[in-house]
Amino acid sequence: MHILVVGGGMGGTILANNLARRLSGELEQGSSKITMLSASDKHMYQPGLLYVAVGKMSTTELYRDQKSLLEPSIDFHVDPVEKFDLDNNSVTTKSGKKISYDILCIATGSRGNAAGIPGLAEHACQFYTEADALAMYKKLQKFEGGKVVVATGVPHKCPMSPLEITFFLIDYFKKRGIWDKVDLHYTYPIGRVHSLEPVANWAAPEFDKEGVTYETLFNMKEVVPGKVISEEDSSAEFDLLVTVPPHKGQQVIEDNELGAGGFIPTDKKKLNMEGRENVFVLGDTTNLPISKAGSTAHFEAEALGENIAALVQQGEPVREYDGKVFCFIEAGDGKATYAMFDYNNPPNPQAPTSGLHWFKTAYNRMYWASARGII
Amino acid sequence: MSDRILVDAKNTFCPGPLMELISNMKMADVGAELELLSTDEGSAADIPEWVNKVGHEIIESFKEDDVLHIIVKKVK
Ligand SMILES: Cc1cc2nc3c(=O)[nH]c(=O)nc-3n(C[C@H](O)[C@H](O)[C@H](O)COP(=O)(O)OP(=O)(O)OC[C@H]3O[C@@H](n4cnc5c(N)ncnc54)[C@H](O)[C@@H]3O)c2cc1C
């Protein structure tokens, strides 16, 4: 059996390592093989970008060599896929190689698409790439006060980012001693300040306490110099606009017509691509109505690792993905909380504590062990 | 109608039904109809509120086996 994993980010790496351990006997005998194709020889810890944007982490802490995170039995190549030929169980890579598979796993992630909103890329600070996070930090350092607006597009990865960047901005401006010169205004696409109701119920009074104003049902339509205009015919004036941009899947997914917006139609529980029994999808690339988060990719990878190994070894999958997501929420002022939920159980976040903030800080370093499958 | 875009947001807490609808509306062409499935109690109020505020159209809304179906037309 040849298992091909496309994408070496959070989901692909955890899945490939999980499979390599479960199928170690088959890999040794040569009856199975795991190949990973990715677009980079580096693995980025993307949640670190949030910290880079406010000067809390250096960019050198964001990367590891991808190969160093993988089990040695995984055949890893930096050679991105350009064509998917699902009818013939093969892909073609950038270097022109045609690679056949028995089982395909797609984990190519998602990317910010500020270009989808006229004027957004030109006028807003973002923190979803290394270059953007660094540029945002430079801009913040020069900022001496005025109107700051946080505006969020949909869909976006990391559902906690809009709140976290807002709390981090409050901390940042306080630390610089210019908080009294800042009017911070938070906007959000739906009718409360966060998609999770208990999180919204906690965050709104925190905003009130800090003097942060907010407007809900605000979906960006256009940005012109100094003003962001919403689909709902409202607008907010700014001296500094910080955005969580709308996201898309990768271009290669759109070009191969695997799913609208680059998101692949995926079965909620089996995680196979709809209509394809030997193609599995995980992480941000799915069209599932759940959070685009590393923890989602992680739990999906664990479920798929068990299932694909069972398929290879006994011809039948053994479990279903239950929709589990776990997200830390940085609450500013050295505190954090978390939200955990699945398809059947809503979250019930507790009051933020400094202990959880330190746990999240430790996790930022433990992530590499998690990607290797050690924790 | 077979060419309706189905947005299955049952049993989802985050991003939740309204955010799922907004994402799918953005990808759809003007004139498209979307059928949103939701098990979230709040959807009966907050989906029509957003749809009306932006100026799209609610075609139909009904509950079947505890699932709320809201059919929305993208008008602009
Ligand atoms: C600022 C920020 C903060 C975040 N905070 C959190 C957080 O606190 N908690 C949390 O759980 N999540 C967080 N996330 C989200 C998390 O990083 C993503 O959800 C997660 O990385 C998704 O994993 P993935 O495997 O789907 O995609 P990715 O990790 O993005 O990996 C995609 C991989 O696909 C490869 N690839 C792309 N195109 C191709 C191609 N054509 N062929 C082959 N390979 C290809 C890429 O090189 C990459 O290796 C955050 C993200 C950001 C940006």
Side-chain angles (χ1 to χ4, degrees):
Chain A
M1 277 270 192
H2 183 203
I3 303 163
L4 176 62
V5 179
V6 178
M10 274 201 200
T13 302
I14 295 170
L15 173 61
N17 281 331
N18 187 305
L19 281 169
R21 289 204 185 93
R22 289 178 187 277
L23 297 174
S24 59
E26 287 81 354
L27 296 176
E28 216 162 282
Q29 285 162 17
S31 60
S32 283
K33 184 181 168 172
I34 302 173
T35 304
M36 173 181 279
L37 297 173
S38 195
S40 170
D41 63 345
K42 295 272 182 291
H43 187 118
M44 184 203 264
Y45 177 58
Q46 296 176 35
L49 292 170
L50 187 74
Y51 299 79
V52 170
V54 291
K56 282 177 189 264
M57 198 186 265
S58 88
T59 52
T60 51
E61 293 174 70
L62 296 175
Y63 296 100
R64 291 286 185 279
D65 281 336
Q66 174 63 10
K67 196 147 176 63
S68 75
L69 299 174
L70 294 174
E71 287 287 320
S73 54
I74 297 165
D75 187 22
F76 172 64
H77 300 274
V78 180
D79 196 3
V81 170
E82 290 196 335
K83 283 203 184 84
F84 289 88
D85 184 357
L86 303 184
D87 290 334
N88 292 304
N89 296 334
S90 76
V91 301
T92 306
T93 65
K94 190 173 178 188
S95 74
K97 286 196 193 79
K98 193 169 165 181
I99 299 176
S100 300
Y101 59 81
D102 298 298
I103 293 175
L104 174 66
C105 305
I106 307 178
T108 44
S110 63
R111 65 207 158 108
N113 177 38
I117 295 173
L120 185 62
E122 294 90 303
H123 300 296
C125 296
Q126 307 178 52
F127 53 95
Y128 274 73
T129 65
E130 180 186 336
D132 283 342
L134 279 174
M136 174 165 161
Y137 183 56
K138 279 193 189 136
K139 209 158 178 184
L140 282 179
Q141 290 285 83
K142 292 203 186 85
F143 189 69
E144 293 301 336
K147 289 181 184 149
V148 180
V149 171
V150 176
T152 296
V154 286
H156 54 265
K157 71 175 144 188
C158 189
M160 302 308 169
S161 288
L163 286 180
E164 292 184 307
I165 196 67
T166 305
F167 288 121
F168 274 3
L169 284 171
I170 297 171
D171 279 358
Y172 172 85
F173 292 131
K174 282 185 178 170
K175 205 166 145 202
R176 287 229 1 240
I178 58 169
W179 180 229
D180 58 337
K181 297 194 187 76
V182 174
D183 287 323
L184 184 50
H185 185 64
Y186 174 94
T187 67
Y188 199 67
I190 64 165
R192 52 181 182 247
V193 300
H194 192 262
S195 54
L196 292 170
E197 200 171 355
V199 174
N201 291 344
W202 154 76
E206 291 294 316
F207 283 172
D208 293 338
K209 213 160 63 193
E210 296 288 1
V212 175
T213 53
Y214 43 90
E215 180 171 351
T216 56
L217 290 180
F218 190 101
N219 287 278
M220 289 179 279
K221 180 165 83 179
E222 188 187 358
V223 183
V224 294
K227 191 154 92 171
V228 49
I229 300 158
S230 81
E231 302 265 3
E232 294 81 5
D233 276 339
S234 177
S235 65
E237 289 183 2
F238 63 82
D239 298 304
L240 183 79
L241 175 63
V242 175
T243 192
V244 171
H247 275 64
K248 276 186 150 198
Q250 300 297 352
Q251 194 63 46
V252 67
I253 305 297
E254 285 191 85
D255 292 348
N256 282 269
E257 296 180 358
L258 300 187
F263 300 116
I264 303 175
T266 305
D267 185 273
K268 268 182 172 177
K269 294 184 174 168
K270 295 190 196 132
L271 299 176
N272 61 301
M273 177 176 174
E274 276 174 19
R276 303 271 171 184
E277 289 300 313
N278 68 335
V279 180
F280 297 93
V281 193
L282 70 160
D284 294 353
T285 318
T286 75
N287 77 335
L288 294 181
I290 53 175
S291 311
K292 298 202 179 301
S295 72
T296 310
H298 188 144
F299 294 126
E300 289 171 343
E302 285 182 350
L304 272 180
E306 206 173 329
N307 271 351
I308 294 173
L311 268 178
V312 171
Q313 290 166 335
Q314 55 195 53
E316 278 298 320
V318 287
R319 66 176 271 203
E320 290 183 329
Y321 172 59
D322 60 2
K324 188 169 167 193
V325 180
F326 175 101
C327 287
F328 282 110
I329 312 167
E330 286 280 20
D333 196 24
K335 291 186 179 152
T337 180
Y338 68 90
M340 189 163 77
F341 48 97
D342 59 33
Y343 289 143
N344 296 312
N345 299 293
N348 182 19
Q350 308 299 314
T353 64
S354 51
L356 279 164
H357 166 69
W358 287 114
F359 191 67
K360 165 76 186 193
T361 309
Y363 180 80
N364 288 339
R365 291 184 173 74
M366 285 173 345
Y367 168 69
W368 306 110
S370 161
R372 285 187 185 99
I374 296 166
I375 53 167
Chain B
M1 225 171 124
S2 60
D3 53 357
R4 260 185 201 151
I5 300 165
L6 187 72
V7 182
D8 182 354
K10 297 194 299 290
N11 302 322
T12 165
F13 302 106
C14 183
L18 178 52
M19 207 107 80
E20 282 300 322
L21 179 69
I22 297 172
S23 298
N24 281 277
M25 289 287 271
K26 278 175 56 177
M27 286 191 285
D29 296 328
V30 172
E33 286 185 16
L34 291 85
E35 179 163 358
L36 177 82
L37 310 187
S38 171
T39 44
D40 171 54
E41 287 298 318
S43 294
D46 67 7
I47 304 270
E49 184 189 354
W50 178 76
V51 169
N52 293 329
K53 199 165 180 188
V54 176
H56 297 304
E57 195 183 320
I58 302 269
I59 304 280
E60 198 186 348
S61 170
F62 61 93
K63 209 167 184 178
E64 200 174 81
D65 298 331
D66 286 334
V67 177
L68 186 65
H69 296 240
I70 305 179
I71 294 132
V72 181
K73 184 172 179 177
K74 178 165 170 163
V75 172
K76 55 185 193 182

